[in-house]
Every structure is written in C-alpha cells, then in structure tokens.
Amino acid sequence: MKEFLADTGNHVMGGGLMRIGRTVIASCALVLLALLAGCGSTFFFSFEREQALFNDEVIWDISGVGSYEFLPSGISLDDKALLCPYAFDGDVTIRMKLELGFTGDEVGQFFLLVSNEPVWNPSEFHLLTFAIADPSVQGSMVVEKGAGYVEHKKFSGFVPGIIKEGENILEMVKKKDHYKFTLNGSSLGEYDAQQYFASWFFVQIKAQLGLATDAGSMVIEEFRVTCSGEMQEL
C-alpha cells in the first residue's frame, strides 16, 4: 500500500509539473507573440508591380524639374526626387532593389537621403550618393549635415559591390545614432552621427541620368523600410 501511494504520488506530482511546464511555455509564447506584434513597423512598395506612384494605401510625392517613366521592372528617375509616404522613428533598415544597365558610355548618379524635413534641400540629413560611369569618374560618398558638413566615407574610381549590369541591393541600417550603408553587402560607409541626431525622419530617393543614357540604365524596383518605432503617414 505504501509503495502504491508513493507511486501514485510520484505520478500526480509528475503530472502537475508537466502541466505547470506546459502553462509556463504557453504563457511565454503568448508574451513573445505580443512583443513581436508591437515591436515595430514595415512599409513596402513595389514600383515594378504597381507601375504607378500610388496604390490603395499610399501616394509617393515627386519633385524636381526632370522626368520619370515606368518600365516593366520599375521606375526610372532623371533629375526627379521621390518622397516616401511615411516618416519613421527608432532603429531603421531601408532596403532597396535597383536594376542597373550601364554597358558603355552611360552616366548616372543615385541619391538616398534621410532628413529632418520632407524637402530635397533640408537643413539636416544623412546622404549616400554614388555615380556610375567610366571608372575614372565613378565613385561614392556618404555625407552628414547638421551645423556643418562631415564627409564620412568617399570612394573614387569605383563603387564597392556595384553590379553595373544587373540587380543591386542597397541598404541603410540605423541603430540609435549609428549608420551603415551597404551595396550588395559591400560597405559604402559606417559611422556614428556627429551633426544630425535623427528622431523622426523622412526618406527621399533621387537619380540623374546623362544625356545619352537610356532610362533603363537605372531602375528602382522596390523599396522597403522596417523600423523599431512608429510610422507616420505624411
């Protein structure tokens, strides 16, 4: 009888522990899901799919004296700037897919700007630009502007990681006041902010093409932003 009671007690205790364990796991899973559900925001737009500056949810603002056109793979800009429909705060990752087709004498320049104002010439910003052309005149530069200018990184004669004929992935990662720009995984610049300490900020994209450069030489296919904070529609 004592052996039976002891054995029964062991089974009851074991079952209780198993139930407690399952309850704890389930509770932790619910907490994790709740945290994940509220840990940031994502904005995605495919110019390739939409073939427009808008969809049912947002409209991109476009400015500048130049021109733009839609091609099957996305949008081509020539001296035009696109303003993202949202402002962002917190840690941010911007990821863009670009299709390039520079085969000979084509010339182009691309700009990615994050700033304190939704205008192309803001008072404070972080800027990445790269030029594609004959190797002697191509290069990239990362600049910050606040009370003054800081040139954080510059490459002359080449652009790290660039694929002149094909698909390119451009990223900017902001963690607190640390910035990192990459092209196809190659670093274009990494630094801690010295002038512009962004809270909420705006994102703009601009491109310029040379006179003899076909629109298909630089096409923006898609744009994605993930942030740890909030998004505010403009």
Side-chain angles (χ1 to χ4, degrees):
M1 178 65 71
K2 290 181 180 180
E3 291 176 357
F4 173 79
L5 290 174
D7 186 60
T8 303
N10 287 336
H11 277 84
V12 170
M13 184 175 291
L17 288 174
M18 289 179 66
R19 285 193 296 273
I20 292 171
R22 286 194 294 268
T23 302
V24 170
I25 292 171
S27 299
C28 289
L30 289 173
V31 170
L32 179 59
L33 288 172
L35 288 172
L36 289 173
C39 69
S41 307
T42 298
F43 169 64
F44 173 78
F45 194 93
S46 171
F47 294 100
E48 179 180 18
R49 182 182 64 217
E50 303 294 348
Q51 290 291 300
L53 294 172
F54 59 89
N55 58 20
D56 293 337
E57 299 177 353
V58 297
I59 300 176
W60 288 74
D61 183 68
I62 189 164
S63 62
V65 298
S67 61
Y68 71 96
E69 65 177 285
F70 281 92
L71 302 172
S73 56
I75 188 172
S76 176
L77 305 173
D78 186 8
D79 204 17
K80 282 285 193 182
L82 287 172
L83 173 63
C84 178
Y86 289 95
F88 304 92
D89 75 344
D91 294 339
V92 174
T93 297
I94 300 172
R95 186 179 189 272
M96 299 180 57
K97 185 184 293 186
L98 307 173
E99 182 73 22
L100 302 181
F102 290 84
T103 58
D105 297 329
E106 297 94 346
V107 178
Q109 188 166 4
F110 183 84
F111 304 83
L112 173 62
L113 180 79
V114 296
S115 64
N116 66 327
E117 300 172 285
V119 295
W120 181 248
N121 292 308
S123 59
E124 297 181 310
F125 61 75
H126 297 275
L127 169 70
L128 164 70
T129 182
F130 61 81
I132 313 164
D134 179 87
S136 63
V137 295
Q138 71 181 12
S140 69
M141 184 167 58
V142 177
V143 177
E144 177 186 1
K145 179 181 182 295
Y149 284 91
V150 180
E151 183 181 293
H152 287 288
K153 192 68 177 180
K154 183 177 181 179
F155 292 94
S156 298
F158 72 105
V159 180
I162 198 165
I163 301 171
K164 295 179 71 173
E165 297 180 67
E167 188 176 275
N168 291 259
I169 303 298
L170 176 65
E171 282 194 345
M172 186 207 83
V173 178
K174 170 188 176 292
K175 291 187 176 181
K176 296 185 178 179
D177 293 318
H178 186 81
Y179 290 78
K180 182 178 182 180
F181 295 86
T182 60
L183 182 62
N184 299 317
S186 297
S187 178
L188 299 179
E190 184 172 359
Y191 59 92
D192 291 324
Q194 300 177 24
Q195 299 280 330
Y196 171 38
F197 300 94
S199 177
W200 284 94
F201 65 83
F202 306 90
V203 183
Q204 295 185 75
I205 310 160
K206 186 176 182 178
Q208 294 175 324
L209 301 176
L211 293 177
T213 303
D214 184 78
S217 296
M218 186 181 296
V219 180
I220 304 165
E221 295 184 347
E222 60 183 46
F223 177 91
R224 181 188 299 272
V225 179
T226 57
C227 67
S228 64
E230 298 179 354
M231 305 189 314
Q232 178 66 54
E233 189 170 1
L234 304 184

